[in-house]
Amino acid sequence: YIKMQKRSHIEIFDEIIQYLEKDLEPVDPLTGTTIKELDLEGNEEKRLEDEDVSLLCEALKRNTTFKGPLNLKENKLTDQSGLELANMLQENHNITELDLSHNKMGDLSAVFIA
């Protein structure tokens, strides 16, 4: 019995941003399938930072096609990202779940997003 590890989309972050900026649903270049759950969980090789989340939020503000969960856990995100995400969520009501666990965010981010 081998448990298949779900692949994080963090490795194709730049491609995802390009799809979102064009108001398209992101597509996994390896499988050619539409990404319904955006998993940008950090790993030992790559972790998103505030600048990355700023790009993501700008793309998601204008995107009306992606409707699903957004996983940003295990990255290097601070309260700056919390503010960016809060602003994005005011314009984009399609994000069904948001996981920000295990980041460097403080209580201020919870206030922004709530």
Side-chain angles (χ1 to χ4, degrees), residues 3-106:
K3 182 179 179 184
M4 294 296 290
Q5 175 127 4
K6 185 170 75 169
R7 186 169 76 92
S8 172
H9 298 119
I10 199 165
E11 305 303 329
I12 56 171
F13 180 76
D14 294 335
E15 290 91 339
I16 287 171
I17 295 297
Q18 290 175 4
Y19 278 104
L20 294 174
E21 285 177 338
K22 295 175 184 172
D23 201 24
L24 301 170
E25 289 183 299
V27 174
D28 187 323
L30 290 179
T31 63
T33 58
T34 301
I35 297 172
K36 298 293 185 189
E37 298 179 19
L38 193 48
D39 182 359
L40 296 171
E41 180 175 344
N43 58 47
E44 292 178 13
E45 297 173 19
K46 181 167 177 148
R47 295 189 193 282
L48 297 181
E49 297 188 17
D50 291 330
E51 298 80 26
D52 301 312
V53 169
S54 182
L55 289 172
L56 177 65
C57 287
E58 283 303 311
L60 284 171
K61 279 181 188 177
R62 296 184 299 275
N63 186 285
T64 58
T65 59
F66 177 74
K67 297 174 173 75
L70 176 57
N71 177 2
L72 294 170
K73 69 181 176 185
E74 299 282 345
N75 284 292
K76 297 179 181 178
L77 309 183
T78 68
D79 286 331
Q80 179 182 340
S81 288
L83 180 58
E84 295 268 1
L85 288 161
N87 289 334
M88 178 272 296
L89 290 169
Q90 287 179 347
E91 295 183 39
N92 182 331
H93 303 282
N94 295 325
I95 305 298
T96 57
E97 293 176 38
L98 179 60
D99 188 344
L100 298 170
S101 58
H102 305 288
N103 276 287
K104 298 178 180 180
M105 295 176 163

